[in-house]
Amino acid sequence: RIKRPYRRRVIVKNWKKSKLNSVRVTLVGIKSNVMEKIVDNLNWNEVRNDYLIKIGCDGSSKGNPGAGGYGWYHSDNLYGFGGSLKATNNAMELEALRSVLKTIPPSVEIELILDSKYVIDSMTKYIFAWRKNGYLTSKGDVIANKEAIMDIDLLLNNRVGKVKFSWVKGHA
């Protein structure tokens, strides 16, 4: 009997066709504890700078921490996923966002549809105080997921195209 790797189904909405699509997130820790696949054959010449693309993002872990995965989806030609053998839910939600920002060119406007208020509030509310305080909480502790938040903050600041965050109710 073959043991199957841990799989989590992430449901995201294809906004153009109004059909539910799914991305399978598969974790295999054979050679690396983190793996990621992003579609390489993207034709960005077809995406005009004034075109807003909508992307669904999600992340989770089995156990907290535990094996985790993330995925994001715009279309059959534009998606990404990855995971880690030891991660928290919030860390995987942030990884989904970081993967999108690294993949989509900075000139393209994007709307990110997430079910994580932690990620949205971190990037739209708390980040200003965290920057000012050296990424410390009001109690003086280092913020959780500091490296991911600092990287995402840098990626957002280097974007020319607008980024809009939209919250949707999660499946839990």
Side-chain angles (χ1 to χ4, degrees):
R1 186 172 177 176
I2 299 172
K3 187 175 180 181
R4 292 185 177 189
Y6 169 71
R7 288 190 173 183
R8 176 171 187 314
R9 192 175 192 114
V10 180
I11 302 297
V12 293
K13 186 149 184 171
N14 182 330
W15 294 95
K16 288 188 176 181
K17 297 179 184 174
S18 296
K19 292 180 182 176
L20 288 179
N21 291 293
S22 65
V23 176
R24 285 211 182 264
V25 176
T26 306
L27 305 175
V28 182
I30 297 172
K31 293 184 179 178
S32 173
N33 66 340
V34 177
M35 58 181 243
E36 180 174 342
K37 181 195 180 303
I38 298 174
V39 175
D40 294 327
N41 57 347
L42 301 175
N43 187 358
W44 290 108
N45 296 326
E46 295 176 4
V47 179
R48 299 188 328 258
N49 287 344
D50 61 342
Y51 180 66
L52 173 70
I53 61 173
K54 296 182 179 186
I55 299 172
C57 302
D58 200 13
S60 71
S61 67
K62 187 172 184 177
N64 206 11
Y70 67 88
W72 59 269
Y73 182 89
H74 171 262
S75 66
D76 290 344
N77 294 323
L78 182 56
Y79 63 93
F81 59 88
S84 174
L85 292 177
K86 188 172 183 182
T88 63
N89 288 328
N90 289 337
M92 289 293 96
E93 295 278 2
L94 289 166
E95 280 303 314
L97 176 57
R98 181 168 27 190
S99 179
V100 168
L101 295 174
K102 285 183 176 181
T103 304
I104 307 298
S107 61
V108 177
E109 290 188 24
I110 53 177
E111 179 179 358
L112 299 163
I113 297 102
L114 305 126
D115 65 354
S116 172
K117 286 195 175 191
Y118 166 75
V119 172
I120 294 171
D121 289 346
S122 293
M123 296 298 115
T124 60
K125 294 179 184 177
Y126 310 135
I127 193 69
F128 306 107
W130 289 340
R131 271 191 228 136
K132 185 178 175 183
N133 297 334
Y135 295 93
L136 299 175
T137 65
S138 58
K139 295 180 181 178
D141 299 328
V142 176
I143 63 170
N145 304 305
K146 177 182 174 184
E147 293 79 19
I149 289 173
M150 289 176 67
D151 193 26
I152 291 167
D153 186 31
L154 181 66
L155 290 166
L156 286 171
N157 285 329
N158 290 335
R159 292 194 69 81
V160 177
K162 294 179 185 176
V163 176
K164 178 182 176 186
F165 292 91
S166 296
W167 179 81
V168 292
K169 186 176 180 181
H171 49 79

